[in-house]
Every structure is written in C-alpha cells, then in structure tokens.
C-alpha cells in the first residue's frame, strides 16, 4: 500500500478565473457538491476578497460541504485574510491559503518589494492567518522561477509562522518534469522543518506539461496535487484532475501512490463543468474527451473486440462514462427512471426528479428508445436550481431559403403570458429578437454553438449561448437541449436570460 496523495481542487478559484468559465452562486454550489461526492480532499472555493459575490459563494459552499476541507485564497494582506476567514468560518473543516510571489521578476516588477520585505510579509501574514485556524497553506507564487535557496528561506519562514502545507506553483507552466522533480527534492533537502508540512504542487499547462509535472512532483515526494476539472484555469489552464487521478490510479504500480477520488464520478464532474461553463472539452482530451475510448481504425477495432486490453488501459466504466445501452422507453415508470439515474451516479432531490421525469416523458414521446446519454442530457438540461422567471410556452417559426424568417414566441412570466413576433434573416435570430422584445432588452448574443448530444437520427441537440446585457456587464452561459435544434436554441437563450436576471 503506497502513499495517499491529497487532491486539492481549484476549479472554483483558478478554474473560474479562466475566460468564459465564470459561474453563478447556484452553479458553484452544484460544483462543490459534485467535488465532495467524488471525495476531493480540499475544495478551493474562491478568492473571498475578489468580490462580495465570491465571498458569498464561498460562504454558501462552506455551509453545504460536510466532508471536504473548504479553502479560500488570500494575498499577504490582513484584509484578504479577514475576508477569507469570514467566508469559510462555518465550514466543518477550513483552510486559509495565503500566497506571495517569490521570483525576482515578480518581486521587482509586480510587488515592488525586496526579498527581505517578502520574508517579513510571509512571517507576518501566515502568523496572522494562523490565529484564525490551524490549517494554513502558503504558496510561493512563481516558485519555479525563484532562486532555489531563497524559495527554501520563504518556506522556512512560513513553517515557523504556522503553515502546514507549502505549495510550489509552476505559475507560468515553465518547467520540464525532471526539473520540477529536482526542485521538489531540493526544497525537501534544504528547508528546515519541512517534515512538519505537506508539500504541494500547482502546475499550469502553458507547455502542455501540467499533469506530467504534477506526477513528477509525486515521484519526488509531493503529498498534494492542486488541479481542476477538465484542466480549466488561467491561460492554458491547470493540471487536469482527471489526468492526474487516473494516472495515479492506472499506474499505482509505478507511482506507489493513489488518492481517495471516486473515479466513477469523473465523467459526471467533467460534464457538469462543460454544461455550466459552456466550454466544451476537445474530443481528444484524455479520459473524458469524446474520442478517449473510441476505436476508429479496423486494426484497433479488431483488437478491442478480441480483448479490450489490446488498446484500452482503463475502462470507460471506471471513469463513469455511461454505456449507450437502451434503457428506458415511453412506458417506463418513475421507479425504473429513478433507479437508472442512481446507477449513473445522480443523486437528485425529489423535486429535481419530478422536473426531470416530466421532461423524460416529453422526450419519450419524441424518441423511441431513451439511452443513458439521453438521460445524461436530460439531467444536464434541467437548470441548476435557480429561479426560472421566464418559461417557454410555445413557438412557431416560419423559415425558408427565399423568405424572411419570422418567429412567434409565447413565454410565461410569473402569472402573465407574453407573446411577440419578430423577423430576421435566419430563424434563430428571429426567435432571439422576439424574446428580446418580451424581456424588453436588447440582449447581446456573444457566442452561439450547437451540437448533437446523442447519436442517431433522433439525436438530442444541445445549444449553448453566451449573452450579456445591452449596457455591458457579465457574460452568462445559457444551455438548452431538445430534439428540435431551434427549440434547443430558444431554451438556451431563455436559460441565459434567467441567469442574467439573477446576476443583475
Ligand atoms: O498559479 C499560481 O501561482 C496560483 C497561486 C495563487 C497558487 O494560482
Ligand atoms: Zn494558478
């Protein structure tokens, strides 16, 4: 039995910082619940000082999460540490994550501080955080471009002030794996008191080596990996959790280490992030990409049919990818439906089951057989527990290659039914214009994408829109799923508007 590596997930902090990946309060809670369900050790829920919205989300997560440690980031500033503490103080287990840059470049140009001032600031602020709680992490930002001996001095200072986890971030994704491992060994050998702390890695993916560097860190003695679902994060992203976790799992023999993550929850977590952010994973993305378990060439197919292990080093089931078996039809009852969702790893509240089951019945009228992927699409299509101020009732579209497209849309808004007509060059734009008239705003469509969620002629289409208010402001993601792609698009637009209303 080897070492158990802690998994520190920063999807809700570093991940959420990446363009197009912002999430609202309900979405963040939903993600935190999923991270807890997959047994993440530490959830970095955000950066409390960044905005009141961030602080409120961290605080809500701290109250929802029971088993994982909930963490907030803080710069070396008392007001940051106070904000972090107040956001996480109700968590069962909490951590403050204090950071300060230690490379000559960052100290001179970003902080305008001398190395001595940096050491003083670390000593003061780690001790300041320590009066709030026992579990304190210190990160030396841009550690990999820092002077190695100075880095060790910063860590000694942090340990003396009470830090229990020391993080060696490759902030700019600059390292090669052997180099990163050598740095970890150097720090281990040259930092007094290091045996009192857990070493952590936090690798960015600018050269595509984030997961490789993190795993090299494990080989060199790292005890915690910082990562994100789907590898989202600043610039080229962070180390992808699914890659690090599955490498540890599949190659336990090599790493002599594993972690507590329930690997069967990986696919669900990945889908949840794609659904919420509207940022799709590349088909070739390891572990969770659409092609990760697809065998195209004849030789490969032949091999896999004879014995899966010829071309598969892990099974799709081991990461929770639903198998495309026909499971339900229009005569299936609520029990069978609920059972199958449970088998797929979904634990929904009775109200959520009611909502999804109603949608299932509508879908079953349109599709002969409902497969696991359809169920997955249906669950994902139910708006993450939030207010649905506007609800689509009906629509009629008139379109053709030689006429102007027109759309009539009827929407329920509270007790009221609103109906508007609009025309445009294309049917989807006409529908969006009619909806704009209903809500009385010229909502701006920033991005729009459509894809088939399932296979076959009666596949469900998924539409993703990114919209913002006409006067500028947050860009939100809306998602809609339906067999009819125009319906999916209209639902996505309305879903986006409902989210926008919650933000404003
Ligand atoms: O990349 C980085 O250095 C960070 C720190 C705040 C840990 O995100
Ligand atoms: Zn980072």
């Amino acid at each position: 039995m080897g070492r158990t590596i802690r998994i520190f997930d920063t999807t809700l902090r570093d991940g959420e910082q990446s363009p197009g990946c912002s999430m609202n309060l309900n979405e963040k809670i939903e993600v935190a619940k999923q991270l807890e369900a997959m047994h993440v050790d530490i959830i970095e829920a955000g950066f409390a000082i960044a905005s009141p919205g961030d602080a409120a989300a961290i605080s809500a997560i701290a109250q929802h999460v029971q088993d994982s440690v909930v963490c907030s980031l803080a710069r070396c500033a008392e007001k940051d540490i106070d904000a972090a503490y107040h956001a996480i103080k109700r968590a069962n287990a909490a951590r403050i994550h204090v950071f300060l840059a230690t490379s000559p470049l960052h100290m001179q140009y970003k902080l305008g501080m001398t190395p001595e001032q940096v050491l003083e600031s670390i000593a003061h602020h780690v001790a300041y955080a320590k009066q709030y709680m026992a579990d304190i992490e210190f990160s030396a930002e841009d550690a990999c471009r820092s002077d190695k001996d100075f880095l060790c001095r910063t860590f000694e200072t942090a340990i003396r002030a009470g830090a229990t986890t020391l993080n060696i971030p490759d902030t700019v994704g600059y390292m090669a794996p052997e180099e990163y491992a050598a740095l970890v060994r150097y720090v281990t050998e040259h930092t007094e008191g290091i045996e009192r702390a857990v070493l952590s890695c936090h690798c960015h993916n600018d050269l595509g080596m984030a997961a490789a560097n993190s795993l090299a860190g494990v080989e060199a003695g790292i005890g915690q990996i910082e990562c994100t679902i789907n590898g989202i994060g600043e610039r080229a992203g962070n180390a992808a959790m699914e890659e690090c976790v599955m490498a540890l799992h599949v190659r336990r023999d090599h790493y002599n280490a594993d972690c507590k993550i329930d690997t069967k929850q990986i696919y669900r977590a990945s889908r949840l992030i794609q659904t919420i952010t509207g940022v799709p994973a590349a088909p070739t993305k390891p572990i969770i990409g659409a092609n990760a378990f697809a065998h195209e060439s004849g030789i490969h197919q032949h091999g896999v049919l004879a014995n899966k292990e010829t071309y598969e080093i892990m099974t799709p089931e081991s990461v929770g990818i639903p198998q495309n078996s026909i499971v339900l039809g229009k005569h299936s009852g609520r029990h069978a439906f609920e059972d199958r969702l449970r088998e797929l790893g979904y634990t929904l509240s009775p109200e959520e089951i009611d909502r999804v089951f109603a949608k299932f019945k509508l879908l079953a009228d349109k599709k002969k057989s409902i497969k696991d992927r359809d169920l997955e699409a249906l669950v994902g299509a139910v708006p993450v527990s939030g207010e649905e101020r506007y609800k689509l009732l009906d629509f009629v579209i008139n379109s053709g290659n030689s006429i102007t497209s027109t759309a009539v849309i009827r929407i329920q808004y509270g007790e009221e039914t609103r109906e508007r007509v609009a025309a445009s060059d294309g049917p989807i734009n006409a529908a969006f214009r009619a909806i704009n008239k209903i809500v009385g705003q010229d909502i701006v469509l920033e991005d729009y994408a459509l894809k088939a969620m399932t296979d076959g002629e009666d596949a469900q289409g998924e539409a993703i829109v990114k919209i913002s208010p006409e006067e500028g402001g947050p860009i939100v993601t809306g998602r809609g799923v339906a067999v009819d792609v125009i319906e999916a698009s209209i639902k996505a637009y309305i879903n986006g508007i409902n989210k926008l209303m919650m933000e404003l």
Side-chain angles (χ1 to χ4, degrees):
M1 178 58 186
R3 291 187 301 140
T4 302
I5 306 299
R6 294 181 189 173
I7 298 297
F8 174 115
D9 180 274
T10 183
T11 305
L12 292 168
R13 199 276 297 168
D14 216 324
E16 215 244 348
Q17 276 170 228
S18 57
C21 287
S22 56
M23 304 176 211
N24 67 26
L25 177 74
N26 291 319
E27 291 165 339
K28 286 182 184 175
I29 294 173
E30 213 56 39
V31 171
K33 287 203 292 203
Q34 174 61 24
L35 295 173
E36 183 175 40
M38 64 199 299
H39 305 156
V40 161
D41 296 278
I42 301 111
I43 299 174
E44 186 161 57
F47 187 12
I49 195 78
S51 72
D54 265 45
I58 300 170
S59 172
I61 289 168
Q63 288 167 68
H64 271 85
V65 167
Q66 301 298 316
D67 300 328
S68 311
V69 175
V70 179
C71 169
S72 171
L73 185 68
R75 288 168 301 192
C76 271
E78 290 185 4
K79 63 178 188 334
D80 280 41
I81 296 167
D82 293 339
Y85 167 69
H86 288 295
I88 57 180
K89 65 183 175 201
R90 292 204 180 83
N92 274 354
R95 171 181 295 188
I96 299 179
H97 178 187
V98 180
F99 77 101
L100 191 61
T102 55
S103 66
L105 210 60
H106 278 233
M107 288 191 290
Q108 183 179 347
Y109 293 102
K110 194 180 82 177
L111 302 175
M113 286 168 87
T114 63
E116 290 67 35
Q117 287 171 325
V118 164
L119 289 176
E120 276 164 29
S121 178
I122 294 169
H124 175 74
H125 291 102
V126 170
Y128 186 81
K130 191 74 180 180
Q131 31 148 29
Y132 281 132
M133 62 189 66
D135 190 349
I136 305 295
E137 172 165 338
F138 170 71
S139 279
E141 192 190 9
D142 206 17
C144 296
R145 294 189 300 169
S146 303
D147 174 84
K148 286 208 288 276
D149 290 312
F150 179 65
L151 182 63
C152 296
R153 298 300 77 75
T154 66
F155 284 160
E156 282 169 1
T157 307
I159 294 168
R160 278 198 300 274
T164 44
T165 301
L166 299 172
N167 186 26
I168 310 179
D170 184 10
T171 303
V172 290
Y174 179 69
M175 289 262 113
E178 301 75 25
E179 223 182 346
Y180 190 73
L183 180 62
V184 172
R185 288 195 192 98
Y186 192 90
V187 167
T188 310
E189 283 158 19
H190 296 87
T191 305
E192 221 183 285
I194 196 75
E195 64 292 341
R196 301 207 298 273
V198 173
L199 271 181
S200 170
C201 59
H202 175 112
C203 298
H204 278 268
N205 206 28
D206 300 65
L207 293 173
M209 290 195 277
N213 285 342
S214 306
L215 293 159
V218 168
E219 289 186 85
I222 282 282
Q224 170 179 289
I225 298 179
E226 303 197 0
C227 48
T228 59
I229 304 289
N230 297 345
I232 63 171
E234 284 280 2
R235 306 179 311 281
N238 289 64
M241 190 214 280
E242 58 279 8
E243 294 172 20
C244 299
V245 166
M246 287 316 283
L248 287 180
H249 192 69
V250 173
R251 298 305 315 277
R252 275 183 301 253
D253 59 326
H254 176 76
Y255 292 108
N256 194 26
D258 206 343
C259 60
K260 294 192 321 211
I261 298 296
D262 175 0
T263 62
K264 290 210 166 79
Q265 294 284 334
I266 285 180
Y267 181 74
R268 239 206 105 188
S270 168
R271 286 296 320 161
L272 183 66
I273 295 300
Q274 292 181 60
T275 300
I276 286 177
T277 60
V279 177
T284 49
K285 173 90 183 58
I287 321 293
I288 48 85
N291 295 349
F293 294 92
H295 304 282
E296 190 66 27
S297 84
I299 297 175
H300 285 211
Q301 286 174 350
H302 176 74
V304 169
L305 285 175
N307 180 341
K308 282 193 171 176
E309 285 179 30
T310 49
Y311 288 101
E312 275 184 7
I313 57 167
M314 58 197 144
T315 62
E317 292 87 347
S318 68
V319 294
I321 297 182
Q323 295 312 291
N324 231 4
S325 45
I326 298 171
V327 282
L328 300 169
K330 87 186 205 185
H331 300 297
S332 304
R334 197 190 148 102
H335 274 304
F337 174 76
E338 226 177 311
D339 282 352
R340 189 62 198 152
L341 282 183
R342 212 171 298 115
E343 277 161 24
L344 290 175
Y346 292 102
T347 36
L348 303 183
S349 66
E351 301 78 56
E352 284 167 331
I353 301 258
D354 285 346
R355 285 194 286 160
V356 192
F357 188 62
K359 286 178 194 276
F360 162 75
K361 282 289 178 190
L362 290 176
L363 181 66
D365 272 341
K366 294 184 188 162
K367 268 191 111 178
K368 276 199 297 291
S369 56
I370 309 279
K371 300 178 181 179
D372 285 343
R373 292 276 168 96
D374 291 302
L375 290 185
E376 194 206 343
L378 267 185
V379 178
V382 175
V384 170
S385 47
E387 210 185 324
E388 262 190 289
R389 277 197 218 175
Y390 294 96
K391 273 196 190 133
L392 176 66
L393 293 175
D394 315 284
F395 68 91
V396 176
I397 304 287
N398 200 2
S399 184
N401 63 352
S402 54
I403 56 163
T404 299
S405 300
T406 53
V408 185
I409 307 275
R410 217 146 57 90
I411 279 180
Q412 179 142 3
Y413 178 70
E415 298 295 296
E416 227 184 290
T417 300
R418 295 184 183 173
E419 184 177 306
R420 292 287 183 280
V421 185
S424 182
D425 293 342
I428 289 174
N429 200 30
F432 290 176
R433 281 190 180 174
I435 298 169
N436 282 359
K437 286 188 186 174
I438 289 175
V439 298
Q441 273 200 52
D442 272 332
I443 304 289
V444 182
L445 181 65
E446 308 275 352
D447 201 6
Y448 168 78
L450 186 65
K451 75 167 199 273
M453 281 284 287
T454 51
D455 46 28
E457 280 176 8
D458 55 0
Q460 294 195 77
E462 177 191 50
I464 301 282
V465 299
K466 300 243 177 214
I467 57 171
S468 61
E470 56 180 319
E471 65 281 5
I475 297 181
V476 301
T477 305
R479 180 174 178 268
V481 175
V483 173
D484 176 332
V485 293
I486 295 182
E487 184 178 345
S489 307
I490 293 172
K491 284 178 168 169
Y493 201 70
I494 294 173
N495 175 237
I497 289 175
N498 281 326
K499 284 189 186 176
L500 208 51
M501 298 302 149
M502 285 165 69
E503 298 273 317
L504 299 176

